[in-house]
Structures are given as C-alpha cells and as structure tokens.
Amino acid sequence: MPVFRRRRGSRPRLVPELDDTALGKVRRRVETCWDRGSLDTAVMALMKDVIDDAGEDWDRKAHRLRVLASSAGRSLPGIWRQHNPRNQGALLLHAWSDLLLAGERGSTIDLDATRETCRLAAELLPGDPTPWTLHMATLRLERRPSGELSPIWREIKARDPWNREAHLQALGYLSPDECGSSGQVLDLLDSVRSAMPPNAPAAGLELAALVRSHHRAMAPGGVTALGAGEFWRRPDAVKVLDHAAHYWPGPGYLHHAQALADLNLLAYALIKAARPADAANTLRATGGVATPWPWNTEGEPLERFTDHYRRATSAD
C-alpha cells in the first residue's frame, strides 16, 4: 500500500492518483479504454482489484473510486455495472460517476436512482462508509434540508469517525456558500477538534475551512481584499498553521491516501500567510506532486505550483 514519502528534485506534475502508483497504472488503462469507447474484461478485473485491495482503508478506497470515476467518463462505469450488478465496487464507481456528472451545468442525472445504487452498495458491504458518504453528497448537491443529512452523517461516523471525504462534504454543505453559515462551520470544527487524532485522514478539515474562508474574504476585491492578509494573523489561523507546518511535512506523519493533497493545501496557506520558509519546507515534502485545488483559484494550477516549488527546491 503506497504511503507518503519525501521525494527531492522531482519534476512538478499534476497526477490525480497522487503517490498511489497502483492506482495510476489502472487509471491509465481506464483512460485508454475510454478513448476506444469499450471496456474489456481485463480492465474490469484491474478496477475490481485496485478497489478491493484498499480493504478497510476507507480513505484510500474513496480516493481510488474518485480518481477512477473522473477518468472513466459516463459509459464505462455503466458497462462495468451491467457486467457485475452485484459487485460493490462497480456500484460505487457508477454512483460516484453520477455524482461528478450531476455537478455539471445542465446535468439530467437522477439522484434518486444514485441513492438507490448507494443503498444496494451499502447492503453488500455493511461496514463500508463510502455508500453513505456518496448518499450525503447527493443530498448536498440538491441543497436538501439538514434533517435529511443528519441520519446519514451518523451512519458514516459509526463506521469511520474521521472519514476525510465525508468531513469535507459536510464542510461544504455547512458553509455560507451553500446551506449553512460561518457559525455552523465553527460548530462542526468544535465538534471534532478535541477528539480527532492529529494525523487522521480528516486532519486537514480546519485548514480547508480557513482557506475557504480566506477565499470568501478575497472575493469582493477592492479594499476588502487588501485587508485579507490580516486573516492569516488571527490567533486561530496561526495556531492551525503552526501545528501543521511543524508536523505534517515530516516523513510518514501523514499517511492517508490524500496526504499530498493536504500538503498542497498547507503550502498554499503558508504562502498566503507570508511564511516562506515553512512553505518551502512543505513544498519540498510534496515531491513535486501538485493538486488542482487550491492552486486553481489563481490561474493554471500546475503553473502556479511549479513557480513556488522550483523556488523552494532551487538550493537542493
């Protein structure tokens, strides 16, 4: 199972699998199938194996499903499900593909059918939080009342208390941009802050909330944006950055599947907070692996990442 490792002197690159080399091999095969418009049995077996091999590492399973759903387009998940209607991985990939497509403008995805797919997947593997997380994501897309999300959230927490994907979905739903408020975001953070292990898969939740809050502060432009630099000098922001900058870049400290995504987020925040030495240390720890968000908020993500990464590694 791949884990985060420090790599020095690597060429900056944008790869959806991050450091999951097994997933990367399957992704490339899937994309070749998509180009041909067909799905052969060998590729179906590869997808099944890479999903099953995650075992009960639910964070890695979710990461692999998301990457494969993004790479497979609309038709391939449906073909795999038709061939394997009782395969939990096929059902989840189909549901995740629905979720991605439903977020596109003009989508006609039937999310009630997606939730039924999630229900079937949950029956096949009752201990897996992933079907419940996808179910919650569909409710978020439709801006459904919080009373509908609450029982789904409890099902997720009962199976995987620090599920990264679920916590980020909850953060998005509760944000002022969607169905909640700044106060509700603070309530979410307060509910997990004291109990969550410092290197849990959802460890980046508070930092993600801070970066999104920073973006909201910057959005109006003008004088408001000019004062947004003070945001990172707030005591709560300084505390989060101090802890993360000290611990996260250490080899092996973050070991969840999307650790490199959290390091990208940290590097970005440290740059915005005008902490160049800490940012450089964190960028070096990424080994040159970039993620679209949050770099894409200011232009082409690989270009933005590369500019900072090369300066950070110029002395190596």
Side-chain angles (χ1 to χ4, degrees):
M1 189 70 66
V3 294
F4 163 65
R5 294 184 299 272
R6 182 188 296 266
R7 295 176 59 188
R8 300 173 74 90
S10 299
R11 177 175 60 84
R13 57 211 181 277
L14 193 66
V15 286
E17 63 269 14
L18 304 177
D19 63 342
D20 192 330
T21 54
L23 174 60
K25 292 176 182 177
V26 179
R27 175 186 64 81
R28 290 187 288 273
R29 288 288 300 274
V30 168
E31 289 176 350
T32 300
C33 283
W34 187 15
D35 291 340
R36 294 199 312 262
S38 63
L39 182 62
D40 58 43
T41 54
V43 174
M44 283 190 276
L46 287 172
M47 289 196 299
K48 178 182 183 301
D49 288 346
V50 82
I51 294 169
D52 289 349
D53 285 350
E56 295 186 0
D57 184 343
W58 307 124
D59 176 64
R60 187 163 300 280
K61 183 173 184 177
H63 173 54
R64 290 179 171 183
L65 283 163
R66 175 186 284 278
V67 169
L68 292 175
S70 298
S71 301
R74 176 59 180 161
S75 60
L76 298 189
I79 294 170
W80 187 27
R81 179 177 180 175
Q82 285 178 344
H83 282 80
N84 300 269
R86 297 288 295 172
N87 180 276
Q88 201 236 16
L91 291 171
L92 289 175
L93 187 68
H94 194 235
W96 212 308
S97 176
D98 280 354
L99 185 65
L100 295 178
L101 290 167
E104 297 178 358
R105 187 182 301 274
S107 169
T108 57
I109 296 295
D110 180 357
L111 290 176
D112 284 333
T114 306
R115 285 187 280 272
E116 176 61 17
T117 300
C118 292
R119 185 189 67 78
L120 294 171
E123 288 181 352
L124 290 171
L125 192 56
D128 186 355
T130 314
W132 300 96
T133 300
L134 291 174
H135 186 144
M136 186 172 73
T138 67
L139 297 175
R140 175 190 170 193
L141 270 177
E142 293 182 319
R143 304 292 198 266
R144 300 287 274 269
S146 59
E148 294 186 35
L149 274 76
S150 295
I152 306 302
W153 177 248
R154 288 193 292 270
E155 296 286 354
I156 296 165
K157 294 287 280 186
R159 290 163 173 79
D160 187 15
W162 310 118
N163 186 280
R164 183 180 189 274
E165 179 68 28
H167 280 79
L168 291 177
Q169 290 288 343
L171 177 65
Y173 177 86
L174 293 172
S175 76
D177 301 319
E178 296 187 21
C179 301
S181 65
S182 296
Q184 287 175 295
V185 169
L186 290 175
D187 287 343
L188 172 66
L189 298 177
D190 286 342
S191 72
V192 303
R193 188 180 287 119
S194 62
M196 182 166 59
N199 62 345
L205 182 70
E206 190 163 9
L207 182 59
L210 285 168
V211 169
R212 293 180 185 189
S213 182
H214 170 75
H215 288 159
R216 283 193 294 274
M218 293 288 290
V223 176
T224 303
L226 288 174
E230 294 297 318
F231 176 92
W232 295 106
R233 286 185 276 278
R234 288 172 12 191
D236 60 328
V238 170
K239 182 177 180 180
V240 170
L241 289 180
D242 282 350
H243 173 86
H246 181 75
Y247 290 104
W248 288 13
Y253 182 82
L254 295 180
H255 52 266
H256 57 281
Q258 297 190 69
L260 290 176
D262 288 338
L263 286 171
N264 270 256
L265 184 64
L266 175 59
Y268 175 90
L270 289 166
I271 290 165
K272 294 301 173 187
R275 296 173 58 159
D278 287 334
N281 187 45
T282 304
L283 284 162
R284 286 192 291 270
T286 68
V289 176
T291 54
W293 190 77
W295 308 104
N296 59 4
T297 59
E298 298 178 0
E300 201 285 319
L302 185 57
E303 180 179 311
R304 297 295 299 153
F305 174 89
T306 298
D307 180 46
H308 293 292
Y309 181 77
R310 285 181 173 162
R311 275 183 277 169
T313 58
S314 60
D316 289 354

